[in-house]
Amino acid sequence: MRKMTRKSRLWLPAIGLLVAASPFLASLAAQRGAPRASQQTFNTPDDPMLQGFRWRSIGPVGQGARIDDFAVDEKNPSTYYIGYAVSGVWKTVNNGTTFEPIFSTYGHNIADLTLAPSDPNVLYVATGEANNRQTTSYGDGLYKGTDAGATFTNIGFKDSQTLGRVIVHPRDPNTVWIAVGGHLYGPNPERGVYMTTDGGKTWNQTLKIDGNTGATEIAIDPSNPLNLWAA
């Protein structure tokens, strides 16, 4: 048998490493050569000067520890929604085993969540939390979904910045009251309490004091929805 030289013994480990790494290198080359999947764009700038800019995810940079509100489907308690102060709305259909983000393309700063007691497919999401602090983020109004959180439509209060409690009539999902906090650092004519009877198509201001006084909370008498209290 031919005697193995010292140089040959040194090369054997290197060859072994190359053989072991070959599947990884092939996979890496395939990934680099494969076309990237198209990503959904959101919050596209309206200004023509900024049309070339696109937002991209750079990781979990949002502070998701503060929960502002949650809404539970009373007919199916395993389904509920969680609204985070700065991390959007999340939904579970298996009692919290898994969660799915459902509001990422609309906003992240959540003030209040309310399911219609008579129709759990109707979900109202108020943005711009009323728990004002040194790092408060503004919202852009009230959103409504009629398909259990699959899609949402803005139904008003885009200039209010901060919203409070949303109350839905116990027997009519289109009759809604909302407390509007308004701007943080100046007067705002939208401050007060509003009511709609057509699901948010039109609003009537039912409580107004002045441009410097907002509302944050509403309570309703479930036995007599004509009785409400506002703070």
Side-chain angles (χ1 to χ4, degrees):
M1 179 180 290
R2 187 177 181 181
K3 187 176 180 180
M4 184 180 293
T5 64
R6 182 174 180 273
K7 185 178 292 186
S8 300
R9 288 196 299 270
L10 291 175
W11 274 103
L12 282 175
I15 295 173
L17 287 174
L18 286 173
V19 171
S22 59
F24 169 76
L25 295 175
S27 174
L28 183 60
Q31 291 179 11
R32 289 184 174 179
R36 293 185 178 180
S38 59
Q39 296 182 348
Q40 180 182 7
T41 59
F42 57 93
N43 293 337
T44 304
D46 296 327
D47 192 324
M49 297 290 293
L50 303 176
Q51 288 300 308
F53 289 88
R54 294 291 182 270
W55 293 97
R56 62 185 177 88
S57 174
I58 59 172
V61 297
Q63 176 186 350
R66 288 194 296 122
I67 295 177
D68 273 345
D69 198 17
F70 62 93
V72 181
D73 182 351
E74 296 181 2
K75 299 177 182 178
N76 181 18
S78 294
T79 297
Y80 54 89
Y81 305 81
I82 295 179
Y84 283 88
V86 290
S87 297
V89 180
W90 295 70
K91 178 183 180 180
T92 179
V93 295
N94 51 25
N95 204 31
T97 302
T98 59
F99 285 88
E100 175 189 8
I102 62 172
F103 208 69
S104 300
T105 58
Y106 303 95
H108 69 280
N109 185 263
I110 307 303
D112 194 57
L113 302 176
T114 303
L115 278 172
S118 60
D119 185 354
N121 289 317
V122 178
L123 174 65
Y124 291 90
V125 179
T127 64
E129 63 168 334
N131 302 320
N132 302 323
R133 46 187 279 163
Q134 74 274 14
T135 57
T136 297
S137 299
Y138 298 157
D140 68 337
L142 178 66
Y143 286 81
K144 177 185 179 181
T146 59
D147 48 14
T151 59
F152 292 92
T153 301
N154 190 296
I155 57 173
F157 309 103
K158 287 188 174 184
D159 188 46
S160 295
Q161 295 187 0
T162 61
L163 299 176
R165 186 71 62 202
V166 179
I167 297 291
V168 182
H169 193 284
R171 295 182 295 276
D172 180 8
N174 291 315
T175 298
V176 182
W177 296 266
I178 182 171
V180 177
H183 291 186
L184 289 180
Y185 303 111
N188 181 224
E190 291 188 351
R191 298 183 193 273
V193 175
Y194 291 78
M195 176 183 181
T196 179
T197 57
D198 54 16
K201 295 178 182 177
T202 59
W203 293 90
N204 180 36
Q205 190 173 21
T206 58
L207 175 63
K208 180 177 182 178
I209 299 176
D210 55 44
N212 296 311
T213 306
T216 59
E217 186 64 75
I218 307 174
I220 190 171
D221 182 353
S223 63
N224 184 359
L226 296 178
N227 295 330
L228 292 100
W229 294 264

